[in-house]
Amino acid sequence: MAWRMPSETAPHERTWMAFPCEGVTLGETDAEREAGYRAWTDVALATAEFEPVTMVVDPSETARAHRMLGSAVEIVEAPLDEFWMRDFGPTFVVDDEQPGVLGAVDWIFNGWGSPDWANAEHSNEIARTVAGLVGAEVVSSVLVNEGGGIHVDGEGTVLLTETVQLGAERNPHADKARVEAEMLRTIGATTAIWLPRGLTRDYDRFGTKGHVDIVATIPSPGRLLLHAQRDAAHPDHAVSAELRALLAEQTDAAGRRLEIVDLPAPATLRDDEGFVDWSYVNHLVVNGGVIACGFGEERADSEARAILEDAYPGRRVVTVDAREIFARGGGIHCITQQQPALEQVAR
């Protein structure tokens, strides 16, 4: 097989999500839990305006999911312990030598580095469950990795982070050569661009230790959207400047020097837990649109929409409030996973 992960901008068959269920991530109070359910529901309903959405739901939450999602979203039942579909669900790939074949990469998921609060028993079964539902061939991997830890251009380039794929909590015996070989085998990546780190908040207790999908993405080959913290009072001001300097020197799989487009952070610097990692980079591209993170700041949200409209011409950008998702450790991209439409996927 010659597996390749298409760009997120390639046509989708559908988007996959996982509905929240009770646990440390969802919240301790009724108000916190309700806010979590609502945030996931809002993303699902916004996405369903553009393409089919299938929601994996723990049996304990089936009635609530039907009540909140209605008929707009397909529901399938499976045991869950977490609900960040991007990270523990399948990473879909296609076979360019056999156009009708869909693959589903099943990374090892250990709860973002095995912190004491994370659960992974049920999460580790979801990639295979989803693969079975859609008739995809399972591509097993020995790498501990999450879908939010990679971004691709569909032409052989992959963005990675040293503190994720090379982190001792995930892959203590890995080196860049081994990781890159696995990326070639599973998603067809021929060129890896390594970031040394991610955003500051992402290294807190409930962080992922550097996921790239909150830092940078590739809207089209040769072009990169980069989180830009403009306020020097935030530690990510130095981080984003360092990453920009590094990325400006990189070339992609086609040998192109990357054109970097800044995607400025909102003005809010802190919440009750410390410096925020609010990022407009963590958006989802869908058929004919983009589901963008909103942070309740009219000026910043509007500026981000304009940049995304330019980056994804011909797509309608819809902003969904993502503050409750970020409060739980991620964003819109983190809770969604696209399934490519096989008959329309092309290099």
Side-chain angles (χ1 to χ4, degrees):
M1 294 291 186
W3 298 118
R4 177 180 62 87
M5 182 180 175
S7 166
E8 198 168 306
T9 59
H12 298 176
E13 179 70 26
R14 68 182 58 249
T15 286
W16 287 85
M17 296 181 65
F19 197 71
C21 53
E22 292 198 14
V24 64
T25 305
L26 185 55
E28 297 180 355
T29 68
D30 287 343
E32 289 174 343
R33 289 189 286 269
E34 184 57 36
Y37 292 126
R38 175 47 56 193
W40 263 250
T41 297
D42 288 346
V43 172
L45 295 179
T47 304
E49 293 290 322
F50 294 89
E51 62 188 61
V53 176
T54 300
M55 185 77 74
V56 179
V57 180
D58 186 86
S60 67
E61 297 287 0
T62 301
R64 188 193 311 272
H66 278 291
R67 184 173 69 252
M68 297 188 72
L69 296 167
S71 61
V73 173
E74 179 188 26
I75 290 174
V76 297
E77 284 192 359
L80 292 173
D81 37 37
E82 279 293 348
F83 29 95
W84 306 88
M85 181 59 83
R86 176 74 51 177
D87 289 349
F88 59 72
T91 294
F92 289 106
V93 290
V94 299
D95 183 355
D96 290 322
E97 297 177 354
Q98 301 183 65
V101 176
L102 180 68
V105 181
D106 181 17
W107 311 108
I108 295 174
F109 177 72
N110 72 351
W112 308 279
S114 297
D116 57 7
W117 55 267
N119 298 306
E121 178 183 358
H122 297 319
S123 299
N124 261 312
E125 301 299 321
I126 296 300
R128 290 175 178 270
T129 297
V130 171
L133 290 171
V134 301
E137 180 174 335
V138 175
V139 182
S140 297
S141 177
V142 297
L143 190 71
V144 178
N145 187 45
E146 303 90 35
I150 60 175
H151 254 314
V152 301
D153 65 357
E155 298 186 354
T157 309
V158 62
L159 303 178
L160 304 168
T161 311
E162 293 176 12
T163 55
V164 175
Q165 288 81 19
L166 300 182
E169 308 90 344
R170 287 179 172 91
N171 301 294
H173 305 297
D175 56 23
K176 287 185 178 180
R178 290 180 180 179
V179 172
E180 290 174 12
E182 186 67 350
M183 291 293 156
L184 175 62
R185 184 185 74 85
T186 55
I187 65 171
T190 58
T191 298
I193 296 176
W194 288 91
L195 281 63
R197 58 159 298 153
L199 302 185
T200 301
R201 177 72 167 262
D202 209 14
Y203 295 89
D204 285 358
R205 184 168 180 242
F206 294 103
T208 70
K209 302 178 179 67
H211 270 193
V212 72
D213 72 348
I214 204 170
V215 180
T217 188
I218 307 171
S220 57
R223 200 176 197 199
L224 186 141
L225 290 173
L226 179 66
H227 177 75
Q229 176 52 253
R230 293 171 166 174
D231 195 323
H234 195 299
D236 285 337
H237 177 75
V239 172
S240 57
E242 174 191 355
L243 295 176
R244 198 182 204 290
L246 180 146
L247 289 165
E249 299 299 319
Q250 305 301 308
T251 54
D252 65 10
R256 292 172 291 228
R257 188 65 62 89
L258 297 174
E259 175 196 356
I260 300 174
V261 178
D262 288 337
L263 195 47
T268 300
L269 298 183
R270 304 180 67 96
D271 63 9
D272 293 341
E273 303 297 325
F275 287 106
V276 299
D277 56 358
W278 294 357
S279 171
Y280 294 108
V281 169
N282 199 263
H283 55 270
L284 173 70
V285 182
V286 292
N287 293 336
V290 176
I291 311 301
C293 295
F295 300 102
E297 298 183 18
E298 183 176 351
R299 181 176 179 179
D301 289 355
S302 178
E303 181 181 8
R305 273 195 304 274
I307 294 171
L308 293 172
E309 286 169 354
D310 179 74
Y312 301 101
R315 297 180 192 262
R316 180 164 60 94
V317 180
V318 175
T319 298
V320 178
D321 195 320
R323 285 172 289 182
E324 290 293 342
I325 307 174
F326 273 81
R328 288 160 178 78
I332 289 174
H333 194 259
C334 306
I335 67 174
T336 54
Q337 179 62 272
Q338 71 277 358
Q339 177 187 337
L342 288 176
E343 68 277 7
Q344 300 179 65
V345 172
R347 265 189 195 279

